[in-house]
């Protein structure tokens, strides 16, 4: 037997009734090493999971249980697919019991506790866990993820934006103080709850920006890019700053991030941006750099744990100094549940693509 088929990981899921939760269940149901032991929900305790999510009929025969009855401390890994503010209350006890944790919400993403509290409007329950938690962007922190007890799964917008800017910031060839991220998301990014702005009559046949004065993913993106810049000797002490503007689009899944950066003075007119991106991501199983001149679309990653990227330099032959990066992901997969499973694979020494080889859905 191979390592992949031998190891079975006892897994609990806290908060399995949202879109991220059902996406996580879809992926783990087909994962050869996942042994689901408990899926919690206070409001739906006793209901068969497949009654709420018919797509899981024949795949998952568990019922939702109250968190207190889930015996999560007997799991090897617990995923939190909950609203912000839940994981931080329960994680310390789980870690003490030897359980590893992946939080798909934002409780452990931002290291500056005061900054987190300012954006998330609550007092943090376990700052000491924040200090040790590893930010779960595998393309940056793979080695640390492998040893982590707690992984802070990145947000959906931050994943698309950071992966798009990453090669430019690492190479030190752009002005880090004036980055622009113009990003669009499908309505599933708002979660599985009743809100007026996501009703069919409101969101369909409509397109709008939101969170322009400030969005809570902004400090996460800024922190990530600042850390990336700080790791490379060619960087100065100038801070990373960006304008981040999210938009709501009339589709269910997907994020399209259009990213703008200005090349530093002295960067050669013929600098090969395409090669820079191709070399940076050559060994990354879930980042696909498209051929020069490409325009990735969101449906090309629907249902897949993949970020597709294209890099452009408009008017480059005429002295244009702006780089435009197009980055697309499925917000529920590479932007949430899929990346969480990718992190699980790394944490437990499995091949990184285990359970994540799904082809994107077309049409």
């Amino acid at each position: 037997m191979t390592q992949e088929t031998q190891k079975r990981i006892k897994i609990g899921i806290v908060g399995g009734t949202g879109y991220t939760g059902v996406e996580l269940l879809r992926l783990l149901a087909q994962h050869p090493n996942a042994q689901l032991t408990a899926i919690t929900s206070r409001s739906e305790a006793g209901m068969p999971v497949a009654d709420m999510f018919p797509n899981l009929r024949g795949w998952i025969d568990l019922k939702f249980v109250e968190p207190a009855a889930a015996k999560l401390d007997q799991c090897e890994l617990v995923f939190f697919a909950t609203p912000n503010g839940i994981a931080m209350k329960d994680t310390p006890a789980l870690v003490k019991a030897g359980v590893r944790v992946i939080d798909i919400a934002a409780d452990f993403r931002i290291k500056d506790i005061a900054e987190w509290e300012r954006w998330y409007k609550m007092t943090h329950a376990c700052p000491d866990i924040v200090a040790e938690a590893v930010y779960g962007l595998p393309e940056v922190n793979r080695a640390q993820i492998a040893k982590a007890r707690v992984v802070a799964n990145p947000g959906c917008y931050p994943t698309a934006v950071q992966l798009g800017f990453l090669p430019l910031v690492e190479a030190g060839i752009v002005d880090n103080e004036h980055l622009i991220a113009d990003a669009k998301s499908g309505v599933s990014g708002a979660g599985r709850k009743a809100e007026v702005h996501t009703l069919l009559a409101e969101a369909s046949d409509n397109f709008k920006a939101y969170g322009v004065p400030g969005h809570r993913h902004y400090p996460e993106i800024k922190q990530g890019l600042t850390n990336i810049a700080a790791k490379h000797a060619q960087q100065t002490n100038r801070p990373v700053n960006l304008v981040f503007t999210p938009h709501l689009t009339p589709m269910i899944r997907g994020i399209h991030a259009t990213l703008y950066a200005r090349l530093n003075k002295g960067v050669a007119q013929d600098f090969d941006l395409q090669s820079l991106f191709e070399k940076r991501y050559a060994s990354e199983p879930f980042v696909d750099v498209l051929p020069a001149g490409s325009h990735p679309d969101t449906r090309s990653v629907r249902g897949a744990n993949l970020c597709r990227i294209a890099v452009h330099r408009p008017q480059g032959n005429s002295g244009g100094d702006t780089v435009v990066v197009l980055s697309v992901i499925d917000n529920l997969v590479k932007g949430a549940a899929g990346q969480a499973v990718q992190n699980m694979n790394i944490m437990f020494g499995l091949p990184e693509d285990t359970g994540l080889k799904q082809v994107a859905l077309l049409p």
Side-chain angles (χ1 to χ4, degrees):
M1 296 178 68
T2 66
Q3 179 190 36
E4 185 172 338
T5 56
Q6 286 177 336
K7 184 175 294 190
R8 297 281 286 178
I9 305 164
K10 294 181 180 179
I11 296 170
I13 298 175
V14 180
T17 60
Y19 291 137
T20 297
V22 67
E23 191 69 1
L24 185 60
L25 290 169
R26 179 181 74 89
L27 296 172
L28 292 176
Q30 302 175 81
H31 196 292
N33 305 97
Q35 181 182 341
L36 286 169
T37 62
I39 306 164
T40 77
S41 171
R42 286 186 171 86
S43 60
E44 307 299 342
M47 174 188 285
V49 173
D51 283 3
M52 174 169 286
F53 300 121
N55 63 317
L56 298 175
R57 181 176 170 82
W59 289 95
I60 293 178
D61 59 5
L62 294 174
K63 295 181 179 181
F64 293 109
V65 297
E66 289 275 356
K71 300 180 180 178
L72 296 174
D73 59 352
Q74 298 180 22
C75 295
E76 294 173 83
L77 173 67
V78 170
F79 291 95
F80 282 87
T82 51
N84 300 317
I86 304 298
M88 65 179 180
K89 298 175 183 176
D90 297 334
T91 294
L94 290 172
V95 169
K96 186 176 181 180
V99 181
R100 301 173 89 174
V101 170
I102 297 176
D103 179 29
I104 307 179
D107 289 13
F108 303 106
R109 293 176 188 164
I110 298 173
K111 295 298 184 183
D112 185 328
I113 300 299
E115 183 80 346
W116 186 90
E117 292 178 346
R118 183 169 74 87
W119 285 94
Y120 288 90
K121 311 300 182 187
M122 63 183 87
T123 300
H124 205 287
C126 56
D128 55 325
I129 299 292
V130 176
E132 77 157 271
V134 175
Y135 188 65
L137 193 62
E139 294 77 11
V140 176
N141 294 325
R142 183 172 281 107
Q144 296 93 323
I145 292 167
K147 299 178 288 186
R149 297 194 299 174
V150 178
V151 167
N153 210 61
C156 50
Y157 282 128
T159 295
V161 173
Q162 289 177 88
L163 291 177
F165 277 134
L166 175 59
L168 301 172
V169 173
E170 279 186 345
I173 60 171
V174 294
D175 178 2
N176 292 340
E177 290 189 88
H178 298 92
L179 303 175
I180 297 174
D182 185 327
K184 295 90 176 173
S185 175
V187 294
S188 62
R192 189 172 181 260
K193 55 186 179 295
E195 291 186 325
V196 171
H197 75 281
T198 58
L199 295 173
L200 179 65
E202 301 287 333
S204 181
D205 196 27
N206 190 32
F207 179 81
K208 68 175 184 178
Y210 65 98
V212 177
H215 187 280
R216 58 180 53 174
H217 281 172
Y218 167 79
E220 180 183 343
I221 298 169
K222 182 176 178 180
Q223 173 185 267
L225 293 176
T226 298
N227 290 341
I228 291 165
K231 290 179 181 178
H232 297 272
Q234 68 267 44
Q235 300 294 337
T236 68
N237 292 324
R238 286 164 35 183
V240 172
N241 284 307
L242 76 154
V243 174
F244 168 55
T245 305
H247 299 73
L248 186 67
T249 63
M251 62 183 183
I252 296 172
R253 291 172 176 257
I255 283 179
H256 188 299
T258 304
L259 312 173
Y260 303 88
R262 180 170 293 178
L263 291 166
N264 291 327
K265 292 181 180 179
V267 176
Q269 184 69 31
D270 60 351
F271 186 91
D272 194 342
L273 292 167
Q274 183 69 24
S275 292
L276 175 70
F277 275 72
E278 289 178 355
K279 289 177 181 177
R280 176 58 178 84
Y281 290 124
S283 61
E284 292 297 342
F286 296 114
V287 181
D288 178 23
V289 178
L290 300 183
S294 298
H295 296 80
D297 50 8
T298 57
R299 71 174 187 163
S300 73
V301 295
R302 186 185 301 140
N305 189 57
L306 193 63
C307 177
R308 285 203 160 102
I309 291 176
V311 58
H312 297 259
R313 185 176 181 179
Q315 293 82 47
N317 294 333
S318 303
D321 63 355
T322 299
V323 181
V324 179
V325 181
L326 309 176
S327 174
V328 299
I329 63 171
D330 185 322
N331 57 292
L332 294 177
V333 192
K334 183 59 174 167
Q339 188 149 252
V341 173
Q342 185 180 353
N343 281 318
M344 177 190 81
N345 289 338
I346 296 169
M347 294 168 77
F348 286 87
L350 299 171
E352 201 162 322
D353 61 356
T354 305
L356 293 172
K357 300 176 184 178
Q358 297 84 357
V359 177
L361 301 174
L362 281 178

